[in-house]
Amino acid sequence: MAETNQGYKTRQRDLILEVLKKQGNRHLTAQEVTDLLHKKGTAVGKSTVYRYLEKLAQDGIVKKYTVDGEKSICYQFLQSHETCINHYHLKCEKCGKLIHMECETVDRLAEHIFEHHNFHLNTAKCVFYGVCENCKKGE
Amino acid sequence: MAETNQGYKTRQRDLILEVLKKQGNRHLTAQEVTDLLHKKGTAVGKSTVYRYLEKLAQDGIVKKYTVDGEKSICYQFLQSHETCINHYHLKCEKCGKLIHMECETVDRLAEHIFEHHNFHLNTAKCVFYGVCENCKKGE
DNA sequence: TTGCGTGCAAAGGTTTTGCATGGCA
DNA sequence: TGCCATGCAAAACCTTTGCACGCAA
């Protein structure tokens, strides 16, 4: 939902997106985004940062989640956001990596949950936590 | 570590533990523990609640973690072994309700993800987002 | 009695909100 | 021009900390 509701294009929004994209696979807190912009000499008000990050999360352009141990909310840019509608995410609690998973078996999950639990799943926002292959090896 | 370091036995500590145990498979925030005690007419200072929950977490008696969408830290009493192993959460994006779901079909998910995606799921932390029955009706 | 536990209030952080102003379309 | 976006400050929260007093052992 809300894919087309882009709102206005402003200097601040461009700057925020740029910072998020530059961080690639890493997640950032609102504070970190604010600080990075400040250091670059292109400061943006923190309420703007919070509000825009929230909007991007609603639109499925960034992922918003909490990480155990971090006291703040984390945001992460989704590389190919158009494909994030119908797949799921695996978040490694060790290295912070976000894995995009497409899988038929898991696809049936939404259907099942709707039919048997009367719950309308928003698959784009579902995050499974655990430990990825690499981190498991290193334990 | 620190399993035997029980400290003093006090009225407040008994009350806090009692509330946690009574909630069984559910997780509680420090605020909820405080409120429940207040409603029961046996109020305990919130710093005491925070401090004791932290101690219980250190001692491995409760589990401390964050849940996406919940702004507060969650605590959950650990039964002997089976706690949140086969227990998933449905979080309604409309009303914020957290539904605790036990379901065989979903149980197989962890197994599937491990076998086919080499990812070790931490089921206790998995949260499915969507819209619950009641909110869907009201739309 | 000794030292840990408790409760209040204040501090420290993060996130949200109100409101006047600014700027895109 | 009509809205939406921005930024500041204040508010609202959650959690931690300092300190005097209370209480278990």
Side-chain angles (χ1 to χ4, degrees), chain A residues 13-72:
Chain A
R13 293 186 165 191
D14 284 346
L15 288 166
I16 293 168
L17 259 185
E18 191 188 310
V19 164
L20 287 168
K21 284 180 184 170
K22 194 174 271 176
Q23 292 302 313
N25 270 347
R26 245 171 53 75
H27 59 240
L28 294 169
T29 64
Q31 189 60 60
E32 286 169 333
V33 172
T34 305
D35 289 348
L36 284 169
L37 288 169
H38 191 79
K39 266 185 219 154
K40 264 184 48 183
T42 55
V44 171
K46 67 182 170 191
S47 21
T48 299
V49 172
Y50 274 107
R51 276 188 284 228
Y52 190 45
L53 286 175
E54 181 58 35
K55 180 180 182 355
L56 289 171
Q58 295 295 334
D59 293 349
I61 294 165
V62 305
K63 236 180 201 335
K64 174 185 180 182
Y65 50 80
T66 55
V67 175
D68 250 23
E70 298 261 336
K71 62 198 286 186
S72 300

Side-chain angles (χ1 to χ4, degrees), chain B residues 91-102:
Chain B
K91 178 77 176 174
C92 179
E93 298 180 274
K94 295 265 175 185
C95 65
K97 189 174 162 193
L98 191 69
I99 300 163
H100 300 251
M101 172 181 65
E102 288 180 49

Side-chain angles (χ1 to χ4, degrees), chain B residues 73-112:
Chain B
I73 297 167
C74 293
Y75 299 87
Q76 182 173 332
F77 185 74
L78 294 173
Q79 313 286 355
S80 47
H81 59 288
E82 196 220 27
T83 45
C84 253
I85 309 289
N86 295 314
H87 178 166
Y88 297 82
H89 300 107
L90 302 175
K91 178 77 176 174
C92 179
E93 298 180 274
K94 295 265 175 185
C95 65
K97 189 174 162 193
L98 191 69
I99 300 163
H100 300 251
M101 172 181 65
E102 288 180 49
C103 170
E104 238 185 52
T105 302
V106 187
D107 281 350
R108 274 184 241 115
L109 185 70
E111 214 171 296
H112 170 84

Side-chain angles (χ1 to χ4, degrees), chain B:
Chain B
M1 61 180 82
E3 295 88 354
T4 51
N5 177 26
Q6 295 287 57
Y8 291 167
K9 178 174 164 55
T10 66
R11 184 184 68 92
Q12 289 87 340
R13 294 187 163 188
D14 283 347
L15 288 166
I16 293 169
L17 259 186
E18 191 188 312
V19 164
L20 287 168
K21 284 182 183 170
K22 194 175 269 177
Q23 293 300 315
N25 258 1
R26 293 175 160 273
H27 56 239
L28 293 169
T29 65
Q31 190 61 59
E32 287 171 332
V33 171
T34 305
D35 290 348
L36 283 169
L37 288 169
H38 191 79
K39 267 186 216 152
K40 265 184 46 182
T42 54
V44 171
K46 67 181 170 192
S47 23
T48 299
V49 172
Y50 275 106
R51 276 187 285 230
Y52 190 43
L53 285 175
E54 181 58 35
K55 179 178 180 1
L56 289 171
Q58 295 294 336
D59 292 350
I61 294 164
V62 304
K63 185 158 183 262
K64 175 185 180 182
Y65 54 87
T66 57
V67 174
D68 247 24
E70 297 264 332
K71 51 191 162 185
S72 303
I73 297 167
C74 293
Y75 299 87
Q76 182 173 332
F77 185 74
L78 294 173
Q79 313 286 355
S80 47
H81 59 288
E82 196 220 27
T83 45
C84 253
I85 309 289
N86 295 314
H87 178 166
Y88 297 82
H89 300 107
L90 302 175
K91 178 77 176 174
C92 179
E93 298 180 274
K94 295 265 175 185
C95 65
K97 189 174 162 193
L98 191 69
I99 300 163
H100 300 251
M101 172 181 65
E102 288 180 49
C103 170
E104 238 185 52
T105 302
V106 187
D107 281 350
R108 274 184 241 115
L109 185 70
E111 214 171 296
H112 170 84
I113 288 179
F114 174 48
E115 282 173 9
H116 293 80
H117 303 276
N118 285 303
F119 194 85
H120 301 252
L121 217 57
N122 174 358
T123 61
K125 285 193 62 186
C126 291
V127 182
F128 301 96
Y129 293 90
V131 181
C132 76
E133 204 175 357
N134 281 336
C135 289
K136 197 70 187 177
K137 273 188 213 154
E139 269 183 358

